[in-house]
Amino acid sequence: MELRDYLKREGIWYKFVDKPETIHTADAAAKAGIELKRVTKALVLLDHDKNPILGIIPGDCKLSFSKIKDAAGVKKIRLVPFEEAENYSGYLPGATPMVHHKMQMKVVLDKKLTQYESIYGGGGERTKLLELKTDDVIRLNNAIISDITE
């Protein structure tokens, strides 16, 4: 099911923001006139049993591996190599949305993002951003809320 179809089926408010140039980083996305701290990075990680975990953090922050490991309740955690991320999320790195992934994943959202009514993330394609209500991101993912940045 396509991302847009999923959002419609779930009755979720959303807004796609077209970007003429490819989006690879939160910095590039911020050039669209959006505050960097509201543009998320969706990072695919694997725990000690190779179960995928998605860490969603503000674009102006760096992931703390020790904090996300504790928040997810796992022994070890590592970032999935760039070229393998699509195997878990279903999307190219830089396009990974905050919801609707290929594999069921535990999702941990950085608590700094909860101060915003809506946040932006990958839009399923590198030329799009997707704005979603923060509460919907949390609810659809049954996300764990925790401080997971350095």
Side-chain angles (χ1 to χ4, degrees):
M1 177 181 298
E2 293 291 320
L3 178 59
R4 188 180 305 264
D5 295 335
Y6 169 78
L7 295 168
K8 285 180 181 178
R9 185 190 80 196
E10 294 296 320
I12 301 302
W13 177 91
Y14 66 92
K15 183 168 117 181
F16 282 100
V17 178
D18 290 318
K19 184 99 168 58
E21 64 185 62
T22 301
I23 298 169
H24 290 289
T25 65
D27 289 327
K31 290 179 183 173
I34 302 163
E35 290 180 281
L36 185 57
K37 57 190 174 185
R38 288 182 59 203
V39 179
T40 64
K41 297 177 196 174
L43 304 170
V44 181
L45 305 114
L46 292 178
D47 71 10
H48 56 280
D49 289 325
K50 297 188 179 178
N51 296 310
I53 297 170
L54 190 72
I56 302 175
I57 64 172
D60 61 346
C61 294
K62 185 176 176 183
L63 180 69
S64 166
F65 287 91
S66 63
K67 288 180 180 180
I68 194 168
K69 179 178 65 94
D70 292 344
V74 297
K75 296 175 192 170
K76 293 183 181 178
I77 198 161
R78 67 177 176 88
L79 196 59
V80 170
F82 192 80
E83 61 277 358
E84 294 176 23
E86 185 178 4
N87 297 335
Y88 299 95
S89 70
Y91 303 92
L92 291 171
T96 306
M98 298 171 281
V99 298
H100 188 58
H101 306 107
K102 179 178 178 178
M103 295 182 74
Q104 182 70 29
M105 293 188 238
K106 185 178 287 189
V107 176
V108 184
L109 183 115
D110 189 79
K111 71 178 182 180
K112 289 178 210 57
L113 294 168
T114 62
Q115 68 185 299
Y116 305 109
E117 182 179 347
S118 67
I119 50 180
Y120 297 82
E125 302 171 26
R126 287 186 170 166
T127 57
K128 293 185 188 299
L129 283 176
L130 173 60
E131 181 182 8
L132 294 172
K133 294 199 181 297
T134 308
D135 288 344
D136 288 335
V137 174
I138 295 166
R139 182 177 52 80
L140 290 171
N141 288 313
N142 193 26
I144 297 164
I145 310 302
S146 188
D147 172 16
I148 57 169
T149 58
E150 293 181 355

